[in-house]
Amino acid sequence: MRAAQIVEPGRPPLVADLPVPVAGPGETLVEVGAAPVTPLDLLCATGTSYFGRPRTPYVPGVQGAGVADGRPVWFATSAGMAPGDGSMAHVAAVPARDLVELPAEADPVAVAALGLSAVAAHMALTWRGELATGEQVVVLGAGGVVGQAAVRIARIAGARRVVAGARSPAARERARQAGADAVVALDTGDVATLAARFAEACDGPADLVLDPLFGPAAAAAARALRQGGRWVNLGSSADETCPIESSTLRGRSLRLLGYTNNELTPEQRAASIVFVAEQAALGRLTVAHETVPLEEAGAAWRRQAAGTASGRIVLIPGAAPRKP
């Protein structure tokens, strides 16, 4: 079979012929239909992440979608985090506990593009953030996959208004395409300036901020929250620290909540994946993405790492290479 391999940490994968894996105890073979290139894949392959240097060579891909025993499935792997191979191959051997059966109408590419990013958006909004019908939500980093999914999911969950914040013009356009009612440019680190922009974009005080950025944008968005408002942080892609003032937290009695997918039970994760697949099949949930044949994994990896892709790249193992 053909598969992408990380041969040396810090370098893009090479595509090679490998033996078809054999299912071990408790494992199931999956015919992979779609394998996204995610930030976690890129991080693990550097060899400098908190997971340590991965054992090489290995097949990357921490998640994917395909068919197992004739059933459509989504699956997760620990590739790059622990010894073993991942989804960027024609066939993957996956622990049965990490398989989620999908609705028959699910699109494997759409599910792979959304994947755990959409799970994070869904569960951070609804489970951790307790989003209620009729509330106003601010979504930071709304041009990224988590942010785009959050804008759409907030609307599905009954938010009356969704205000997005994004850094680049392209990201702001993706937020608009996702359906944000207003989009705030996060093109400065001045908290007062950003706070004024959020105040203008919001229709009165906001109820909930979804924050994968941290940094000045989060401190500014917090000022837009109502008394007792909730601020859910699920990342720090802008900064590891945030210049929030104590008076903002105390004066509004804000609730600052942390979120990670690692906290979910297998049942919670599975239910969220099914929700994501169902909403995608209905055309209500999607993110900007592009499909690339597995044979072009190295070039696709470079573009995803450089941020020059048009969205999340999804590798298609069965696709033929594109002609020049």
Side-chain angles (χ1 to χ4, degrees):
M1 71 170 187
R2 300 291 280 172
Q5 270 195 320
I6 297 294
V7 177
E8 181 182 347
R11 299 183 65 84
L14 302 175
V15 179
D17 287 311
L18 297 179
V20 175
V22 176
E27 291 185 329
T28 300
L29 292 183
V30 178
E31 297 176 28
V32 182
V37 182
T38 72
L40 182 55
D41 292 311
L42 300 174
L43 174 65
C44 290
T46 65
T48 61
S49 78
Y50 42 85
F51 296 109
R53 184 182 177 92
R55 183 183 300 173
T56 53
Y58 76 95
V59 176
V62 296
Q63 56 184 301
V67 176
D69 298 326
R71 302 169 297 143
V73 297
W74 173 89
F75 63 94
T77 84
S78 58
M81 298 175 276
D85 291 328
S87 62
M88 297 181 192
H90 283 135
V91 179
V94 181
R97 66 178 181 275
D98 290 326
L99 291 175
V100 177
E101 185 169 356
L102 298 173
E105 66 276 12
D107 176 356
V109 172
V111 173
L114 288 157
L116 290 172
S117 294
V119 167
H122 176 222
M123 297 302 284
L125 282 170
T126 61
W127 177 58
R128 175 66 78 221
E130 300 176 354
L131 175 60
T133 300
E135 289 192 320
Q136 180 172 212
V137 179
V138 174
V139 176
L140 303 181
V145 177
V146 172
Q148 292 173 68
V151 170
R152 294 183 183 274
I153 291 171
R155 187 76 68 206
I156 293 168
R160 68 175 176 86
R161 184 173 177 83
V162 181
V163 174
R167 287 176 278 187
S168 70
R172 293 195 288 276
E173 180 56 31
R174 289 193 293 271
R176 291 186 187 93
Q177 291 295 321
D181 294 294
V183 180
V184 171
L186 306 181
D187 55 4
T188 175
D190 185 77
V191 175
T193 298
L194 292 175
R197 292 177 184 176
F198 280 118
E200 182 178 0
C202 289
D203 178 22
D207 301 283
L208 173 63
V209 169
L210 188 82
D211 167 33
L213 299 182
F214 220 43
R223 295 188 186 182
L225 285 167
R226 64 167 171 80
Q227 194 79 12
R230 292 100 64 204
W231 167 12
V232 181
N233 175 263
L234 63 163
S236 55
S237 63
D239 204 324
E240 282 292 336
T241 62
C242 177
I244 186 71
E245 296 175 347
S246 173
S247 58
T248 300
L249 290 172
R250 291 182 292 106
R252 292 173 173 81
S253 296
L254 299 185
R255 293 166 56 194
L256 174 55
L257 307 162
Y259 174 85
T260 170
N261 278 346
N262 295 334
E263 188 179 3
L264 301 178
T265 65
E267 293 77 17
Q268 285 176 310
R269 186 177 71 174
S272 186
I273 283 288
V274 170
F275 167 84
V276 167
E278 290 174 341
Q279 296 302 316
L282 291 170
R284 302 174 69 186
L285 181 57
T286 187
V287 292
H289 64 277
E290 58 176 288
T291 58
V292 174
L294 176 65
E295 293 294 329
E296 300 175 15
W301 186 280
R302 291 185 187 93
R303 289 197 296 116
Q304 193 80 85
T308 57
S310 58
R312 173 143 299 168
I313 293 177
V314 180
L315 299 177
I316 309 299
R322 290 184 289 226
K323 294 181 180 180

